[in-house]
Amino acid sequence: MNYTADAPAVWDPAFADADDCLLTADQCVVLGQHYFVKGLIEIPVSGSDEVFSWEVWVSLSRESFSRASDLWNRPGREAEEPYFGWLTTDLPVYPTTTLNLKTHVHTRPVGERPFVELEPTDHPLAVEQHTGISLDRVWEIASAVLHARNGEQQ
């Protein structure tokens, strides 16, 4: 019920050894100019208590990233106001790109990934987050993701 992106769409493996780049499980800096955090887009599954989630990367301003980093391990950080950001993970199961959708990143207690709230629009991902999806849609996504991964390995 969860799929993850290893890095923001702009990450290049060649950045791994650069002094002004960083990629961890939770945060990313590209060329000392672009800042990202990893969070969850959660989508309720209709007729159940289950939640489907995408682990995605969101770009933040330098100021927001710095603030989030300062509070990363501080209890009570969830009281922080949401940070504005841009979705930087392309989820190819949607007919139009998910890159650059507007988001609000809600910090959660230490040890929990931030919640990524999409701005309400007519984009299918935003609609799904706000209205939920069926279990059949979960299977459809799982099949598409598995097919894409198998295609990459060939």
Side-chain angles (χ1 to χ4, degrees), residues 34-37 57-61 84-88 100 103 105:
H34 307 282
Y35 307 90
F36 308 89
V37 295
W57 291 90
V58 176
S59 69
L60 299 179
S61 69
F84 175 81
W86 299 94
L87 186 60
T88 54
N100 297 317
T103 70
V105 178

Side-chain angles (χ1 to χ4, degrees), residues 5-8 11 21-29 36-38 57 65 72 113:
D6 295 329
W11 180 260
C21 296
L22 167 77
L23 177 62
T24 70
D26 301 307
Q27 298 178 329
C28 180
V29 177
F36 308 89
V37 295
K38 196 175 208 181
W57 291 90
F65 181 83
W72 201 258
R113 286 218 186 278

Side-chain angles (χ1 to χ4, degrees), residues 46-64:
S46 304
S48 76
D49 294 332
E50 297 291 326
V51 174
F52 175 85
S53 60
W54 292 105
E55 276 189 43
V56 297
W57 291 90
V58 176
S59 69
L60 299 179
S61 69
R62 180 183 184 137
E63 296 77 21
S64 292

Side-chain angles (χ1 to χ4, degrees), residues 70-80 107-111:
D70 289 347
L71 299 175
W72 201 258
N73 293 309
R74 187 175 299 170
R77 70 181 191 168
E78 63 274 15
E80 190 74 0
T107 306
R108 290 180 168 162
V110 173

